[in-house]
Amino acid sequence: MTLWQGSQNLCHYLLHVASTTTASCDEKQHSLNSNSNFSLENKTVCELGAGLGLCGIVAHLYGKAREVLLTDGDTDTLANMRRNIALNVPPSSSAKSGNDNDIDPSRTIRCKQLLWGKNVDAFREKYTLNNRGFDIVMGGDVAYAQEALGILFETAMVLLSKDDDGAVFLLSFVFRGGVKLEHVLECADQHHLRWEKVWPQSSTEESVVEETDDSGEGIYVFQRISPTQS
């Protein structure tokens, strides 16, 4: 299996967030004009099209997310993902039991099958506390087909918490399959989302992103537009 460029970029960003987070422990939300406040710590995270599972593992081990749920539609991919978790994550956090000096056993990581647009409401109800949805939905290199963008965003919006104004959809965009940034942003507008490019933001970070043209490749945060902002 391949670790696609978009997933690599998302991992770099998650590691950057984990190493530079300045938000206080009681920080509740991510402000699109205050990137330094973004934190994975104690958040519930769902990754779409998780593939090898690396981004979710990084969110769990380094971002200290309270709960990470990795999803994919392919059963063989899920089997590989579970093996990667078994090889890289201490059993205490993947099995909700045991004791480890470095991993809080109350933090969990697991894998489940999810087909975009298929029974997503039932999925959210089954896998989130009180059907509240996730604080963060993320995807690395999942915007690869223009005809699938709508269902991708619809799935993410169903999974995101509607009770938390700070809930965000974190998307790693790379130019693939003819999908351009303008297509992604048009889809975001259709779903009444505001957005911000949060990475790369410096020449050092740009050196990690393989960007040969003005494609806009990078990490984008999407957030619902509240009634007061519309």
Side-chain angles (χ1 to χ4, degrees), residues 155-228:
T155 300
M157 293 306 99
V158 172
L159 293 173
L160 273 183
S161 171
K162 293 180 173 62
D163 300 325
D164 182 2
D165 290 339
V168 299
F169 176 33
L170 192 63
L171 178 67
S172 177
F173 171 74
V174 294
F175 180 74
R176 191 182 303 287
V179 177
K180 299 179 180 179
L181 179 61
E182 64 187 74
H183 300 144
V184 174
L185 299 184
E186 285 173 4
C187 196
D189 288 339
Q190 292 168 7
H191 287 83
H192 309 290
L193 301 172
R194 59 193 182 116
W195 60 273
E196 178 187 12
K197 184 179 181 181
V198 295
W199 191 89
Q201 292 187 326
S202 69
S203 58
T204 301
E205 293 169 351
E206 285 170 358
S207 66
V208 180
V209 179
E210 296 180 1
E211 186 172 7
T212 58
D213 56 15
D214 190 24
S215 63
E217 293 186 353
I219 311 300
Y220 290 79
V221 170
F222 298 90
Q223 203 169 29
R224 291 188 180 92
I225 298 175
S226 65
T228 58

Side-chain angles (χ1 to χ4, degrees), residues 2 29-30 38 41 49 53-54 56 82 105 123 131 181-182 225:
T2 301
Q29 62 184 15
H30 171 84
F38 182 61
E41 189 167 357
L54 180 58
R82 292 188 176 101
F123 185 91
N131 195 23
L181 179 61
E182 64 187 74
I225 298 175

Side-chain angles (χ1 to χ4, degrees), residues 14 25-32 37-47 59 63-69 124 127-129 131-139 155-171 193 220-224:
L14 296 177
C25 293
D26 61 350
E27 182 66 48
K28 297 296 183 181
Q29 62 184 15
H30 171 84
S31 169
L32 287 187
N37 285 339
F38 182 61
S39 172
L40 293 161
E41 189 167 357
N42 204 35
K43 300 293 179 62
T44 58
V45 180
C46 179
E47 183 178 7
K64 299 182 179 180
R66 182 171 77 251
E67 176 184 349
V68 176
L69 182 59
R124 183 194 63 208
Y127 294 114
T128 65
L129 183 63
N131 195 23
R132 72 175 299 273
F134 294 90
D135 301 316
I136 300 168
V137 175
M138 64 182 187
T155 300
M157 293 306 99
V158 172
L159 293 173
L160 273 183
S161 171
K162 293 180 173 62
D163 300 325
D164 182 2
D165 290 339
V168 299
F169 176 33
L170 192 63
L171 178 67
L193 301 172
Y220 290 79
V221 170
F222 298 90
Q223 203 169 29
R224 291 188 180 92

Side-chain angles (χ1 to χ4, degrees), residues 42-178:
N42 204 35
K43 300 293 179 62
T44 58
V45 180
C46 179
E47 183 178 7
L48 302 177
L52 293 172
L54 180 58
C55 296
I57 291 173
V58 168
H60 173 74
L61 292 178
Y62 298 97
K64 299 182 179 180
R66 182 171 77 251
E67 176 184 349
V68 176
L69 182 59
L70 305 180
T71 72
D72 206 283
D74 183 76
T75 53
D76 291 337
T77 298
L78 284 167
N80 285 325
M81 197 188 306
R82 292 188 176 101
R83 283 194 288 269
N84 287 336
I85 289 177
L87 289 170
N88 293 281
V89 177
S92 59
S93 55
S94 57
K96 298 187 179 181
S97 62
N99 186 26
D100 187 275
N101 292 330
D102 298 319
I103 301 295
D104 180 350
S106 67
R107 296 194 289 108
T108 64
I109 181 169
R110 51 185 174 166
C111 308
K112 297 295 176 182
Q113 187 174 43
L114 175 66
L115 301 174
W116 299 351
K118 303 291 185 180
N119 303 312
V120 183
D121 287 282
F123 185 91
R124 183 194 63 208
E125 182 176 4
K126 184 175 182 179
Y127 294 114
T128 65
L129 183 63
N130 298 324
N131 195 23
R132 72 175 299 273
F134 294 90
D135 301 316
I136 300 168
V137 175
M138 64 182 187
D141 223 324
V142 291
Y144 50 78
Q146 189 173 346
E147 62 273 16
L149 281 179
I151 201 68
L152 167 64
F153 271 83
E154 288 171 17
T155 300
M157 293 306 99
V158 172
L159 293 173
L160 273 183
S161 171
K162 293 180 173 62
D163 300 325
D164 182 2
D165 290 339
V168 299
F169 176 33
L170 192 63
L171 178 67
S172 177
F173 171 74
V174 294
F175 180 74
R176 191 182 303 287

